[in-house]
């Protein structure tokens, strides 16, 4: 297990290096006027050139990349250029991450509480009204673009239930719609996969044999079927949780939530490359950590899987 974790961590470092290098290089191809912000009209061409030189944008790309990684290894992600001028990126992200963390964890808990039981009930009542209703919900969430039903929720549900349209951290009622919106897709995903894995287990020979021997349905369902069906789910749960914690870019923008998702949108619009690079690092790291934790979780819940040299659950 330790050998496997070490190997995956090394692969993760290489992957992060490739991602950051590509993003850094692409951002340097964008127009330089974005670095000047609102002060562009007040600067002469000579002043603009001095300003861009001081930012290091006149250095060769490899030099800029080397300076970036040199600071990164020291824990310095640089300073904001246009979003909050001269404020460290670490400080800006630290101010935003708690909102994304709160909404992400809340959405995960809500989706697990709803999605897993729904998937279990759909498997137990396969072909009946609840299964059809749940399948319809899953199809709608998967087929309809998220932006459509997010807007429908904000425009009509706020009016029907008289809920606030914008987020206010001091008013708990304003948390309801964003949390419900963020939980829609994960709930459908958990229900779909739990139903699928449970139906697969119910059709296996050992289940038919247990029923033939007279084992109670409740014991059969929870002691064997549910336990074995949850093993494949364990691999994807950590990644799903970490992806959800990073926040939904669209939802945070829609409800004016000051989280990392909304920050990414603002940073791109203002062409604040240092913030974009910092957020790419955070999002990529969480995604990679989620994949590693998924492999480890699957090995822990299924003793038949051994992670060692030359072995992996993938």
């Amino acid at each position: 297990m330790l050998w496997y974790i070490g190997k995956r961590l090394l692969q993760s470092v290489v992957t992060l290096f490739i991602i950051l290098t590509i993003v850094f290089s692409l951002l340097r191809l964008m127009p330089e006027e974005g670095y000047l912000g609102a002060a562009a009209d007040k600067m002469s061409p000579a002043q603009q050139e001095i300003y861009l030189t001081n930012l290091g944008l006149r250095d060769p790309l490899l030099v800029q990349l080397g300076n970036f990684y040199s600071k990164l290894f020291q824990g310095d992600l640089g300073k904001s250029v246009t979003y909050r001028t001269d404020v460290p990126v670490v400080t800006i992200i630290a101010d935003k991450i708690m909102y994304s963390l709160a909404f992400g964890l809340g959405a995960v808990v809500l989706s697990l509480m709803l999605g897993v039981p729904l998937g279990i009930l759909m498997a137990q009542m396969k072909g009946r009204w609840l299964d059809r209703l749940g399948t319809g919900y899953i199809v709608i969430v998967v087929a309809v673009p998220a932006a459509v039903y997010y807007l429908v929720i904000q425009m009509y549900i706020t009016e029907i239930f008289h809920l606030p349209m914008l987020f206010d951290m001091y008013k708990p009622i304003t948390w309801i719609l964003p949390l419900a919106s963020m939980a829609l897709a994960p709930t459908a995903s958990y229900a779909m996969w739990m139903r699928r894995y449970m139906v697969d287990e119910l059709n296996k020979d050992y289940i038919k044999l247990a029923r033939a021997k007279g084992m109670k349905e409740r014991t059969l369902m929870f002691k064997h079927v549910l336990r074995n069906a949850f093993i494949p789910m364990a691999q994807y749960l950590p990644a799903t949780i970490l992806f959800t914690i990073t926040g939904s870019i669209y939802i945070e923008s829609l409800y004016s939530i000051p989280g990392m998702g909304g920050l990414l949108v603002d940073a791109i619009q203002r062409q604040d490359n240092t913030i974009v690079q910092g957020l790419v690092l955070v999002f990529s790291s969480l995604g990679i950590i989620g994949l590693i934790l998924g492999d480890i979780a699957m090995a822990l819940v299924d003793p038949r899987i051994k992670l060692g040299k030359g072995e992996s659950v993938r």
Side-chain angles (χ1 to χ4, degrees):
M1 178 72 78
L2 291 177
W3 184 92
Y4 173 79
I5 294 174
K7 177 184 175 183
R8 288 299 301 271
L9 286 176
L10 181 60
Q11 293 174 344
S12 300
V13 171
V14 174
T15 302
L16 278 176
F17 173 77
I18 294 173
I19 292 173
L20 287 175
T21 300
I22 293 174
V23 171
F24 185 93
S25 302
L26 291 176
L27 288 174
R28 292 307 180 273
L29 298 177
M30 297 178 66
E32 295 176 342
E33 289 77 6
Y35 290 97
L36 303 174
D41 297 333
K42 301 177 182 179
M43 292 183 179
S44 66
Q47 290 175 324
Q48 293 180 10
E49 190 67 22
I50 293 173
Y51 181 78
L52 294 174
T53 301
N54 292 335
L55 289 177
L57 296 176
R58 291 294 178 257
D59 296 331
L61 181 60
L62 290 178
V63 175
Q64 295 184 46
L65 193 60
N67 292 335
F68 168 71
Y69 279 113
S70 176
K71 293 179 180 179
L72 180 62
F73 293 145
Q74 300 173 21
D76 182 7
L77 293 177
K79 294 183 178 180
S80 173
V81 179
T82 57
Y83 181 77
R84 288 171 59 185
T85 307
D86 290 334
V87 176
V89 172
V90 173
T91 302
I92 295 175
I93 294 179
D95 292 338
K96 304 289 185 179
I97 197 171
M98 293 309 299
Y99 291 98
S100 295
L101 184 65
F103 275 99
L105 287 175
V108 167
V109 172
L110 183 60
S111 58
L112 283 173
M113 290 174 59
L114 297 176
V116 173
L118 176 60
I120 295 172
L121 292 174
M122 288 172 65
Q124 289 179 309
M125 302 177 66
K126 181 183 177 183
R128 296 160 65 180
W129 67 271
L130 182 60
D131 185 29
R132 294 175 181 175
L133 188 64
T135 301
Y137 161 69
I138 293 171
V139 170
I140 290 174
V141 171
V142 172
V144 177
V148 174
Y149 55 77
Y150 287 160
L151 282 174
V152 169
I153 291 174
Q154 190 185 48
M155 292 176 62
Y156 295 103
I157 301 300
T158 52
E159 184 176 347
I160 294 173
F161 294 99
H162 304 288
L163 294 172
M165 188 173 289
L166 298 178
F167 172 72
D168 185 342
M169 65 175 297
Y170 299 107
K171 296 180 180 179
I173 195 173
T174 62
W175 290 65
I176 296 176
L177 287 182
L179 277 176
S181 299
M182 290 181 70
L184 280 176
T187 298
S189 179
Y190 293 146
M192 177 179 67
W193 290 111
M194 181 56 70
R195 177 192 181 280
R196 173 186 172 182
Y197 294 136
M198 288 195 67
V199 169
D200 288 344
E201 288 296 319
L202 286 169
N203 290 327
K204 290 184 177 179
D205 292 338
Y206 81 94
I207 297 295
K208 297 176 182 178
L209 180 61
R211 281 176 173 160
K213 290 183 176 181
M215 182 178 290
K216 293 182 179 180
E217 192 69 22
R218 182 180 180 87
T219 302
L220 182 68
M221 187 65 64
F222 289 96
K223 188 175 181 180
H224 298 286
V225 177
L226 182 58
R227 180 179 179 182
N228 290 332
F230 196 77
I231 290 175
M233 289 276 292
Q235 184 177 7
Y236 300 102
L237 275 176
T240 304
I241 291 171
L242 290 175
F243 278 131
T244 307
I245 288 174
T246 60
S248 169
I249 295 175
Y250 190 80
I251 290 177
E252 289 186 3
S253 300
L254 195 63
Y255 291 95
S256 298
I257 300 172
M260 290 192 297
L263 174 62
L264 180 59
V265 174
D266 287 341
I268 293 174
Q269 290 175 343
R270 296 169 188 249
Q271 200 177 327
D272 199 322
N273 291 354
T274 51
I275 293 181
V276 174
Q277 291 160 185
L279 290 174
V280 167
L281 175 63
V282 173
F283 293 158
S284 301
S285 299
L286 289 175
I288 291 172
I289 292 171
L291 293 175
I292 296 175
L293 291 178
D295 282 354
I296 296 173
M298 193 169 183
L300 291 176
V301 298
D302 189 351
R304 296 171 298 177
I305 297 175
K306 302 296 181 183
L307 296 178
K309 190 172 182 179
E311 296 178 331
S312 171
V313 298
R314 299 188 182 281

